[in-house]
Each structure stands twice: as structure tokens, then as C-alpha cells.
Amino acid sequence: MTTSKRVITIATACASLAALLTYAGAAQPLKVDFSDETVGGEPKSFVSVVGVWRIESDGNNKVLVVDGRQWKEGQTAAGIADKARALYGDRYAEFLDRVQAYAYFPYVVAKDVTDFRDGEISVRFEGISGRIDQGAGILFNLKPNGDYLTVRANPLENNLVLWKFEKGKRSSVKWIRNTPTPTRQWHDLKVSIAGPKVAAYLDGKLYLQHALPEPVSGRIGLWSKADSHMYFDDFTVTPAD
């Protein structure tokens, strides 16, 4: 074998190994329980984009809290330019412009998941207060232009909704009523993704199924609304095998 061919073969093998390791790392489940976070500070495991998000104590446990009582619509998180750059690198300007123009709903983005496609995302949540809303959502399909999808539960309304946020406008994709979600109780919310197919579970029960126009691909996180004061814990991401 010539030297040039040997170099090409080694380079190809290294590239294949790197791709395999990347895939293997991406396929590992990720669980965030906030036990190593600092009470009173912003979460280290999530990037706060819109709204007031911080770590608080719930008894002996640490939880992620969104506090709509201290938030005014249109208010992005502090240091949003640096956060946008950390999420999207050279494409941060497009994301930043969209967020600043349409900061209507509080959300945070998981730092360690850059492109979620197939698998499950779950979180525990508790509605503490909120006269207008008590929204707890799993955000997914977040694009560099700021578009995203979210499945949202609401203890005030007892419904489960798949929302689309596109070009600064929110619209409902699918609405499921009569989903008991009492305030001041912990609940489990899970979203299952398989290509374009979305399924949503509340407290272990399948309520919502929908086929999107195209497969899911993008960043993920947590979502809320208006004056919601919500606790979140045990955020878990399980990629499909």
C-alpha cells in the first residue's frame, strides 16, 4: 500500500471512529436533578432565555423554578447575547433578534443536548401559583431562527396542548381537554418523538398523538407562560436506541 493510500485509510478510520463515539455519547440518557446547583442562582444545566428562572429549595430537595410574578412580558434573561452565542455560535444573531423581538413566553434550553431527534423527554412539575396561568411545558424542535414546539400542561385549565411558535406567533396544533392536573401536587409530563410523530403523556397516561409535517430536530428545554410560578425536577432525556 502506498503512503498516500495509507494516510487516507487511517484518516477515514479515524473519522468513522469519531462519528461512532459521537453517536454513542449522544445515545446516553441524560438526567438533571439539580442537586449540584446553587440555590438562588440561575441553573447551570440550562440556559435561561426568557423569564426569571432560578434554583430554589423544596424541603431537602433542589428544584428549578420559573417565577412569573417577577417577570414582565418581553423581558429576556440577563446576558441574553452571550447565551445566544453559547447556544448557536456564529448563527447567534438570528436567534437573538427573534428572542428579543418576541419574548412572550418564559423558557430555558438544555445545555448538553444540541440536536434531539428520536426518543423521550420527561420532567416532573408542580404548579405553585399563578392567577392567569400555571404552564409547565417541554420545549423541543428549537431552531436557530427561534421557532419551536412545546407540549404544555396547565393545572388551572386541566388541559394538554401542543403549541407551535413560528415567526413570532404562537398557534395551537392539538388541544386535549379534561386532563386532571391539580395545583400543589407533583405531576409527570413526558413527550415521545419518533420522526415526525409526537406523543404526550401526563402522569403516565397517553393523552395526545400527532404527526408533524416533518421530523423533529433541534434543541430542547422547558417552557412556561405569563404569571406562572412552577417547580420543575428530574428532567430526563432518553434517545431512541
Side-chain angles (χ1 to χ4, degrees):
M1 180 182 294
T2 65
T3 301
S4 59
K5 289 183 178 179
R6 186 179 298 112
V7 170
I8 293 172
T9 301
I10 293 173
T12 302
C14 289
S16 298
L17 178 59
L20 180 61
L21 291 174
T22 300
Y23 176 80
Q28 297 300 314
L30 169 70
K31 183 172 183 178
V32 180
D33 63 7
F34 310 110
S35 59
D36 294 329
E37 299 273 13
T38 302
V39 172
E42 284 194 352
K44 298 175 183 177
S45 47
F46 286 83
V47 176
S48 302
V49 177
V50 179
V52 179
W53 298 81
R54 62 175 177 268
I55 303 298
E56 291 186 4
S57 295
D58 179 29
N60 295 324
N61 193 34
K62 294 179 184 178
V63 295
L64 175 59
V65 177
V66 60
D67 193 347
R69 301 170 302 175
Q70 301 181 11
W71 176 71
K72 294 181 180 179
E73 185 175 291
Q75 178 184 356
T76 61
I80 185 60
D82 290 337
K83 292 173 178 177
R85 188 179 290 107
L87 289 173
Y88 288 111
D90 293 340
R91 294 193 64 183
Y92 84 97
E94 181 183 13
F95 180 74
L96 178 63
D97 289 346
R98 184 66 59 87
V99 169
Q100 290 178 323
Y102 304 107
Y104 300 149
F105 307 104
Y107 71 91
V108 290
V109 179
K111 281 186 178 180
D112 295 331
V113 184
T114 58
D115 187 13
F116 179 85
R117 301 190 180 193
D118 295 337
E120 296 179 347
I121 311 166
S122 63
V123 70
R124 295 177 63 235
F125 72 89
E126 180 181 8
I128 303 302
S129 66
R131 182 180 58 83
I132 299 173
D133 269 298
Q134 291 183 26
I138 293 175
L139 179 147
F140 59 101
N141 209 49
L142 178 64
K143 305 297 187 182
N145 66 0
D147 292 347
Y148 63 78
L149 296 163
T150 182
V151 169
R152 186 274 293 150
N154 190 323
L156 288 183
E157 301 175 0
N158 290 318
N159 56 34
L160 193 65
V161 184
L162 172 60
W163 293 105
K164 174 176 66 174
F165 191 80
E166 188 174 60
K167 297 180 180 178
K169 295 182 179 180
R170 184 188 66 153
S171 58
S172 62
V173 178
K174 193 159 189 177
W175 197 297
I176 306 297
R177 293 174 172 81
N178 301 317
T179 59
T181 322
T183 298
R184 293 279 180 172
Q185 292 183 25
W186 282 98
H187 302 280
D188 296 310
L189 178 63
K190 182 175 73 174
V191 173
S192 179
I193 306 293
K197 296 179 180 179
V198 178
Y201 300 76
L202 187 58
D203 291 330
K205 182 177 178 179
L206 174 62
Y207 279 102
L208 185 152
Q209 292 179 289
H210 183 76
L212 299 166
E214 58 187 22
V216 167
S217 174
R219 283 189 172 271
I220 62 174
L222 296 170
W223 185 94
S224 192
K225 186 184 177 187
D227 65 338
S228 302
H229 183 200
M230 312 292 294
Y231 286 2
F232 295 90
D233 198 9
D234 294 335
F235 179 82
T236 304
V237 184
T238 307
D241 294 335

